[in-house]
Amino acid sequence: MTEQGNGTRVRRALITGITGQDGSFLAEFLLSRGYEVHGIVRRASTFNTERLDAIYADPHNHGVRLRLHYGDITDGAALRRTLDQAQPDEIYNLAAQSHVRVSFDQAEYTADAVATGTLRLLEAVRDYTAAGHAVRLYQAGSSEMYGAAAPPQNEKTAFYPRSPYAASKVAAHWYAVNYREAYKLFICNGILFNHESERRGETFVTRKITRGLARIKLGLQEKLYLGNLNARRDWGYAKDYVEAMWLMLQQAEPDDYVVATGESHSVSEFLDQASSCLGLDWKKHVKEDPRYLRPTEVDFLCGDASKARMKLGWAPKVSFEQLVKLMVEHDLELARQETTLTKAGHQVAQRGASQR
Ligand code: NAP
Ligand code: G4F
């Protein structure tokens, strides 16, 4: 903690994966609650901080409470250095190769970032705590860990992972439990079901659908290529879910929590909902492409978040219908901007979402 002018203490948070969907919402949430927020950013040849544009300020300015550090969850020395520099009271470990389909292509890297990356951070936190610092850690677990386990899934449901990503998240979960018990560290595993938003990466199915259908509506593309339309997911709004992460770290004791809406929809139901917002018939435009199928699929996720409701007082605020609508409206606006630019003679980069 750092001292403010009026003698009150400013809490410090460190977020790994701050440039991602959840990291950006969490950073905004923590800044709004008066925290000083530190984030780990990967070096890239292009800007990867787009989701932070609204809260980024020049660090030379006085009173800036967002600080970015170069680092990587696969680089233990840099993690330790960042802990020393940021001196956090709370750490949110969100960094991950988070795409399930890609984890079949990049299995070793996914394990290094998701499983061993968490272990690296836990080791650094263990030493940071031994040096006299009090810190609380949130570990980003996933409903993918349940995989083939029958719904509804809650904290007592046995994991049955179905991808290198999910198996790596299971390892990270148990590393976290072990470090909590072995070294009495304050660590919480959040087992979050799918959560989406207008900031969702464009290769995840919800955003791929809202981006694709909005572009089809305005005549910017003809077809949308998708994989398995029968899979069912429990989809919530990301902004609601980052609040649950924070709530976990404010409790008297560390524990693990499922965060979910308790409502499940198939990919084709998501298509129905998005199409009705746009007045389209998706069946005329969507083509199935086997390249988007997974060697082992997760068919049915539906979370039981009773524990989070009871102990954290958490409940989702945004419904499935509201979520789809807000994503469609956002992507329709992006498509309108693309149309305007194209009409004015500008070349608009094709981000190739349909290829992924
Ligand atoms: P996301 O948008 O894919 O963001 C992932 C973040 O991790 C990005 O900031 C990314 O950096 C960073 N990252 C990737 N590899 C890294 C590495 N080697 N070192 C450091 N940072 C790295 O994911 P999200 O949807 O925000 O999810 C946040 C976390 O929750 C992830 O751990 C994810 O697995 C987990 N989760 C997500 C959901 C969901 O439905 N969204 C559900 C359950 C669990 P770049 O921006 O540079 O790529
Ligand atoms: O949007 P998805 O890629 O998300 P998935 O696999 O459920 O994983 C997401 O949620 C997890 C929480 O449960 C997170 F841990 C993870 O990091 C990530 O955020 O796929 C959802 C469903 C799958 O069944 C997939 O097979 O949609 C199906 N799908 C059908 N066509 C497709 C596509 N998925 C993608 N990405 N692209 C398609 O074209």
Side-chain angles (χ1 to χ4, degrees), residues 15 21 45 72 125 151 167 173 210 221 243 265 293 314:
I15 306 174
Q21 171 190 254
S45 65
D72 198 294
V125 166
H173 175 97
T210 58
Q221 83 184 53
E243 191 166 351
H265 296 273
L293 299 177
W314 178 88

Side-chain angles (χ1 to χ4, degrees), residues 98 142-143 165 194 200 203 205 208 227-228 231 233 294 297:
S98 72
S142 163
S143 53
Y165 167 81
N194 296 53
R200 184 58 144 152
T203 62
V205 77
K208 189 170 162 182
N228 175 15
R233 291 290 183 274
R294 289 142 195 218
E297 175 62 285

Side-chain angles (χ1 to χ4, degrees), residues 17 19-25 50-51 94 96-101 140-144 165 169 192-212 233-239 241 245 267 270 294 301 323-324 326-328 330-331 334 351 353 356:
T19 55
Q21 171 190 254
D22 292 5
S24 65
F25 281 121
E50 196 182 343
R51 291 187 180 103
L94 310 185
Q97 189 302 94
S98 72
H99 201 286
V100 174
R101 176 69 191 83
S142 163
S143 53
E144 280 291 304
Y165 167 81
K169 281 287 184 190
L192 272 53
F193 282 63
N194 296 53
H195 44 279
E196 319 294 312
S197 73
E198 66 280 19
R199 294 187 199 169
R200 184 58 144 152
E202 293 181 26
T203 62
F204 296 98
V205 77
T206 55
R207 190 77 201 287
K208 189 170 162 182
I209 291 171
T210 58
R211 268 295 268 158
R233 291 290 183 274
D234 179 330
W235 280 298
Y237 184 41
K239 212 170 174 176
Y241 284 46
M245 298 175 187
V267 174
F270 193 99
R294 289 142 195 218
L301 293 176
L323 170 67
V324 178
L326 76 83
M327 291 178 71
V328 166
H330 177 271
D331 286 339
L334 281 189
R351 283 188 277 189
R356 298 176 205 157

Side-chain angles (χ1 to χ4, degrees), residues 59-337:
H60 301 97
N61 295 348
H62 179 68
V64 170
R65 284 190 289 118
L66 175 67
R67 301 272 170 190
L68 301 179
H69 307 253
Y70 279 116
D72 198 294
I73 201 73
T74 61
D75 180 346
L79 288 177
R80 285 168 184 274
R81 202 174 309 120
T82 306
L83 280 187
D84 287 341
Q85 287 167 357
Q87 303 261 312
D89 307 295
E90 296 173 13
I91 301 173
Y92 296 85
N93 184 31
L94 310 185
Q97 189 302 94
S98 72
H99 201 286
V100 174
R101 176 69 191 83
V102 171
S103 78
F104 289 97
D105 301 329
Q106 288 195 275
E108 288 180 30
Y109 171 68
T110 301
D112 195 11
V114 175
T116 311
T118 303
L119 184 61
R120 269 182 208 104
L121 183 62
L122 288 168
E123 281 284 272
V125 166
R126 178 183 162 195
D127 293 346
Y128 179 68
T129 312
H133 300 282
V135 69
R136 296 180 169 205
L137 187 141
Y138 170 84
Q139 166 56 22
S142 163
S143 53
E144 280 291 304
M145 301 191 298
Y146 293 122
Q153 295 96 358
N154 66 22
E155 295 81 1
K156 295 198 171 76
T157 307
F159 298 139
Y160 188 159
R162 299 268 286 170
S163 64
Y165 167 81
S168 301
K169 281 287 184 190
V170 172
H173 175 97
W174 286 114
Y175 286 142
V177 170
N178 180 239
Y179 274 58
R180 182 167 68 208
E181 293 172 355
Y183 308 113
K184 311 289 175 250
L185 300 180
F186 194 110
I187 301 174
C188 299
N189 286 294
I191 306 175
L192 272 53
F193 282 63
N194 296 53
H195 44 279
E196 319 294 312
S197 73
E198 66 280 19
R199 294 187 199 169
R200 184 58 144 152
E202 293 181 26
T203 62
F204 296 98
V205 77
T206 55
R207 190 77 201 287
K208 189 170 162 182
I209 291 171
T210 58
R211 268 295 268 158
L213 292 184
R215 294 185 84 248
I216 287 168
K217 176 75 182 175
L218 297 199
L220 294 163
Q221 83 184 53
E222 279 179 27
K223 300 280 178 226
L224 176 61
Y225 295 95
L226 296 173
N228 175 15
L229 305 187
N230 300 318
R232 301 185 72 83
R233 291 290 183 274
D234 179 330
W235 280 298
Y237 184 41
K239 212 170 174 176
D240 289 345
Y241 284 46
V242 299
E243 191 166 351
M245 298 175 187
W246 175 79
L247 281 169
M248 288 178 211
L249 297 196
Q250 312 313 310
Q251 304 306 304
E253 298 295 332
D255 207 343
D256 304 329
Y257 299 88
V258 159
V259 179
T261 68
E263 197 180 305
S264 188
H265 296 273
S266 65
V267 174
S268 48
E269 285 166 14
F270 193 99
L271 280 161
D272 289 338
Q273 191 64 35
S275 301
S276 85
C277 295
L278 289 162
L280 278 179
D281 177 2
W282 63 263
K283 293 195 175 83
K284 290 186 181 153
H285 306 282
V286 170
K287 295 273 171 231
E288 293 196 38
D289 183 337
R291 91 174 67 183
Y292 302 116
L293 299 177
R294 289 142 195 218
T296 38
E297 175 62 285
V298 170
D299 294 320
F300 198 159
L301 293 176
C302 186
D304 164 13
S306 318
K307 181 175 169 184
R309 281 177 191 264
M310 207 169 63
K311 296 203 166 168
L312 305 179
W314 178 88
K317 297 185 188 93
V318 173
S319 69
F320 175 72
E321 292 74 18
Q322 289 169 324
L323 170 67
V324 178
K325 185 165 181 279
L326 76 83
M327 291 178 71
V328 166
E329 281 174 358
H330 177 271
D331 286 339
L332 196 54
E333 179 53 29
L334 281 189
R336 283 196 195 103
Q337 288 171 13

